[in-house]
Amino acid sequence: MRIAVAKPEVFKACAIGLGYFAFASLTIAWTRFDGGVAQIWVAAALLTAQLVRTDFRHWREPLIACSIASFMATGLFGLGWIAAGPLVAVNIGESFIAAALLRHLGMRQDYLNSLGNVGLFAICAGAVAPAITGIGGAITAALVTGLPIGQLWTSWFAGHALGMMVFAPMMTLMLQGEVFAWARKLTPRGRAEAAVLIGIMAFTSFLVFSQERLPLLFLPMLPLTIITFRLDRVGAALSIIMLVMISGMYTAAGHGPVNLIQGTSSIHSLFLQLYLAVTVMTVLPVAAELKQRKDIYRRLRESEMRYKLITESATDIVLELNTRGVIRYVSPSVREITGFSPDALIGKRPHALMSGPDARTFIAAHRQVRQSPGATTIIEYRGMDAAGELKWFEANNRGIFDDEGVLIGSVSAIRDISHRKSLEMRLAHAASTDSLTGLGNRRAFDALLDRILENRRSGEKGGCVAIFDLDFFKHINDLHGHAIGDRVLQTFATTALRIVRSHDYVGRLGGEEFGIILEGVDIEQATRICDRLRSAVAQEITRTPTGVAVTVTASAGIAAIHASQSRQQIMMAADQALYAAKAAGRDRLATAA
C-alpha cells in the first residue's frame, strides 16, 4: 500500500497559517481599543510576503491555511463567529490584492531594492489594498459593534496599512533568507556593532515612550538613521519593528508622549499610527536607495577588477585621460611596447606616446571624441618610443560621458602596428615596382603623372614625358634568349638612372617600353636630356655568358605636360611621337606636335 507524502508546499502553507493565526490573535487581543477593530494588523503582511514570492499556481495552499487561521482568530479573540466568515474574505482579500498588484508590476522577488519600488509597494500594499478591503471590514464590524462605519474604516485602514508597511519588509527578507544571510555575513566586530546600535535604538525608544512629560518623538530618528546606513535594510527593518513594539506597548498601557494629546485612546492610537507610518516611509526609501547604491558599487568594483585584469594582461596600451587631457591611467603594457614607465606617465599629458610627425593627428582625434558621445575614432600615427625609435601605432579613441552627457574623460586602446605597416609598405612597393629592373611600374608611373597634372593645374611648373622603346628587342630575345634580353632591359634601366637628373622619374611601362617624367623642363630641355640617354644606350654593351657583346639602340617620343590635357592624352601624344621616330628609321627622337 502506498503512503501519500505531503508536498513541500503544504508544509510551507501550514507554517504560514500558524504564523498568521499567531499574529492575528496577538494583534486582536492587544490592539483593540474602544471595542473596535485592531489598531495594527500584522498577519496580512506575512501572507502578502509569501504570496509575492510564490508562483501563482501555488497560492491555493497558503490562502486556504490563512483563511482557516483568520476564521479561528476572529472567532476566538475578535468580533465573534458571526463576523469571522465575512472577515475571512476581507482579510485574505487584502493580501491577495496587494500581492497581485505587486507581481503585476514586476516585483516578484524584492520590492525593497529601489526607491521607485518602495513607492509602488507603499501604494499597492499600504494604500490600495487596505483601502478597498477596509470597506468590507468596516461594514462587517459596524453590524457587530454598532460603531460608525467611517470611524471603523479609518481605524481599519490605518492599522492594516501600518502593519503592512512595518512588517511586510522584514517578513519578506526573512522568507528570502536575507536576514539569516545578513547575520552569517557579519564579522565579530560587525556583530558587536549591530548589538550596540540596536541596543541604543531600544534604549532610545524606551526613553521616549516610557515618559509623557516631553514630546521626544524625534529622538528615535537619529539611531534609526545610523542603523539604516550601517546595518543595511535588515537592520532598518528590525529597528522599525522594535520601535513599533515598544511604542505600541506603552501607548496601549496609557503611557508615553502620545498621551500629551487630548483625546481618547483611539485618537492616541491613530496619532501613533501616523507617526510610525511617517517614520517607516522615511527609513525604507533610504534603505532601498542605499541597497541600490551598494549593488552599483559592488558591480562597479567587480567591473573594475575585470577591467584591471584585462588591461594588465592585454598586449595593447590602455590609456585613460581626464577632461584636461592628462593621463590618469596607463596599462603596464606601455613599458614593453614603448619603454616608458607607467608611473612616470601618470599625471602628464600623453606627448611622450604621441611625439613624432603625427602628434597633431592624435590630439585632434581626442578632441573629436570629446564632442561625440558614443563615437569611436580609429587613427594611425607615428610616434617615438623611449629609445627614440619611430614606430607606427593604431589608436581606438572613445570619450567617457556620464548619464547627463557631460564629458568626464576619454580612453584609448593603442597597439603597435609597425610590423603591419612595414609589410604594407613592402607590399605597396612590390605593387608599384618592376621586379626585373627595380624601376617603378606602369601603375606608379601613371599615379605620379596624375599628381604632376594636379600640381600643374595649381600653377606649378609642368614638364615633359618621354616614352623609350628598345629597337629590334624581339630579335635580341630570339637570337640570344630571354635571359640576355632581361639583362639588356636592366642595362637600359641602369643607364637611364645615371643619365637623367636625380629628381626625374624612370619607370618600366611594359615589355621593352620605358617612360621618363622630366619635371620643370620644356620640350627643348627634355630633348637634350633624352638625346644624351639615347646616345648612352647605344654605347652600352651587354655580354652573354660566352662573351658575345650585345648592343641595342632606343627610340623615344616626347610630349609636354599640359594642364589642359589628361594623362591619357599626354601619353597618347608621346606614343604617337614614338611611332614617328621608329618610322623615321629608329635610334632617334621625335616630339609631339
Side-chain angles (χ1 to χ4, degrees), residues 99-126:
L101 288 174
L102 292 174
R103 287 180 63 84
H104 178 72
L105 294 173
M107 292 176 282
R108 302 186 178 186
Q109 292 295 328
D110 193 351
Y111 49 81
L112 302 174
N113 59 355
S114 70
L115 187 62
N117 283 355
V118 169
L120 291 174
F121 164 71
I123 293 172
C124 297

Side-chain angles (χ1 to χ4, degrees), residues 275-450:
Y275 164 76
L276 294 173
V278 171
T279 302
V280 170
M281 288 310 299
T282 301
V283 172
L284 282 186
V286 174
E289 186 69 16
L290 287 173
K291 175 66 166 58
Q292 190 174 37
R293 294 193 178 195
K294 287 183 178 180
D295 289 342
I296 293 173
Y297 178 75
R298 175 183 52 79
R299 292 196 297 270
L300 179 63
R301 188 170 59 233
E302 293 173 353
S303 176
E304 184 179 3
M305 292 176 63
R306 290 193 296 268
Y307 172 78
K308 186 176 181 180
L309 177 63
I310 292 172
T311 55
E312 289 185 352
S313 60
T315 56
D316 293 351
I317 301 171
V318 178
L319 182 72
E320 189 175 341
L321 308 179
N322 62 18
T323 54
R324 295 179 289 109
V326 175
I327 298 174
R328 62 186 179 192
Y329 175 81
V330 60
S331 61
S333 55
V334 70
R335 186 191 301 275
E336 181 180 350
I337 295 175
T338 68
F340 291 105
S341 169
D343 295 335
L345 295 174
I346 301 298
K348 298 181 180 179
R349 297 186 182 275
H351 293 94
L353 296 177
M354 66 178 84
S355 61
D358 301 328
R360 292 184 178 180
T361 303
F362 186 93
I363 297 172
H366 269 270
R367 288 175 179 169
Q368 180 180 349
V369 299
R370 289 164 178 255
Q371 301 169 359
S372 307
T376 300
T377 62
I378 303 175
I379 60 167
E380 294 179 355
Y381 70 97
R382 290 164 292 176
M384 295 285 187
D385 63 10
E389 181 183 355
L390 191 64
K391 292 184 176 182
W392 275 97
F393 297 96
E394 178 187 83
N396 288 259
N397 309 304
R398 189 180 184 92
I400 305 174
F401 298 83
D402 61 17
D403 293 338
E404 285 72 36
V406 178
L407 178 75
I408 59 176
S410 59
V411 64
S412 299
I414 305 171
R415 64 178 56 183
D416 185 353
I417 58 169
S418 300
H419 178 73
R420 191 189 80 191
K421 274 294 181 180
S422 176
L423 178 60
E424 288 177 358
M425 291 176 183
R426 290 198 299 271
L427 292 175
H429 182 266
S432 62
T433 303
D434 175 55
S435 59
L436 176 64
T437 63
L439 300 175
N441 59 18
R442 181 61 182 259
R443 177 186 298 175
F445 187 91
D446 289 346
L448 177 58
L449 184 54
D450 285 336

